[in-house]
Amino acid sequence: MTAYLSAPATSRGPALILRPWSAADAADLVEAYRDDALRHWTTSAVDDEADAARWIREQQQGRETRNRYAFAVLEPHGPDGAEGAEGYEGRERRDRLVGHAVVKGLRPGSPSAEVGYWTVAHARGRGVAPRALLALTDWAFTRFGDQGPTRLELIHQVDNTASCRVARKCGFEQAGLLPPAPPAYPLEGHLHIRTRPPGAA
């Protein structure tokens, strides 16, 4: 069953929908990657629609092999922007891409998994990243019930202070310092951890 997640509206922005990436998202992905900040903090290169199609196929393959669950984060179309995930699947929509959220290594019996995210330039400062991360975190902790992970990890480079703030806001406490891993990660990294609360499964 395909997961469609939602995050509630706030005073700074409408509700969010998290759904699997599709081929129709290619043009929006190219537009998102025109942002220098996004290109700086990610290791992917998306310069045109061919690159975008390849990146989206990789996300879809990760879902098929159950190694990587990637979600496009969208502001849903509606009269007040507050429509949730209910009734979303199977409908033709043209919603606005505002980010990406992913959980890696999520499988039954694995004690931990890793989460990550990014936000497009026009959506920053409106609480998109923390709301998407919280929705993803809740789903990851409950996806496999008692067989799911008891710990989620979040890693970012030390100079990515915005990501550090998001992590802490969402209950991911800093747990360690990771060595550089050039060329992709030339600086040290912060390891943040959040453990599954009792009864979450």
Side-chain angles (χ1 to χ4, degrees):
M1 180 177 178
T2 303
Y4 287 77
L5 314 180
S6 64
T10 68
S11 60
R12 292 191 295 166
L16 302 175
I17 295 293
L18 285 72
R19 58 120 169 104
W21 286 89
S22 74
D25 297 319
D28 289 337
L29 184 63
V30 173
E31 182 64 28
Y33 266 87
R34 290 191 175 125
D35 172 39
D36 289 339
L38 178 58
R39 296 174 75 94
H40 175 72
W41 295 121
T42 61
T43 57
S44 303
V46 179
D47 296 320
D48 52 35
E49 290 208 23
D51 289 340
R54 182 165 46 251
W55 186 91
I56 290 169
R57 284 197 300 271
E58 290 172 356
Q59 311 315 306
Q60 293 170 336
Q61 290 166 0
R63 187 174 288 272
E64 290 166 3
T65 58
R66 300 181 181 180
N67 289 322
R68 180 185 181 94
Y69 294 88
F71 296 85
V73 182
L74 307 165
E75 288 182 343
H77 174 73
D80 57 4
E83 187 173 340
E86 186 175 354
Y88 183 88
E89 187 169 0
R91 295 176 57 183
E92 290 296 326
R93 306 173 59 99
R94 191 61 192 154
D95 299 330
R96 194 178 195 195
L97 178 69
V98 291
H100 164 72
V102 62
V103 56
K104 297 173 277 187
L106 180 66
R107 58 181 65 89
S110 178
S112 66
E114 181 184 346
V115 295
Y117 51 86
W118 49 253
T119 307
V120 302
H122 66 76
R124 292 181 192 135
R126 294 195 282 111
V128 169
R131 285 187 290 145
L133 178 58
L134 285 172
L136 182 69
T137 297
D138 290 345
W139 181 77
F141 275 142
T142 59
R143 176 70 176 86
F144 297 113
D146 289 335
Q147 296 299 309
T150 57
R151 183 176 86 166
L152 293 178
E153 299 179 352
L154 189 158
I155 298 170
H156 66 81
Q157 199 163 269
V158 291
D159 55 342
N160 192 343
T161 55
S163 192
C164 198
R165 287 194 300 270
V166 170
R168 291 181 179 277
K169 185 174 183 178
C170 294
F172 285 79
E173 297 299 329
Q174 187 176 335
L177 198 62
L178 303 176
Y185 304 103
L187 301 180
E188 293 178 320
H190 282 175
L191 169 64
H192 293 261
I193 290 176
R194 179 169 169 175
T195 56
R196 185 173 68 195

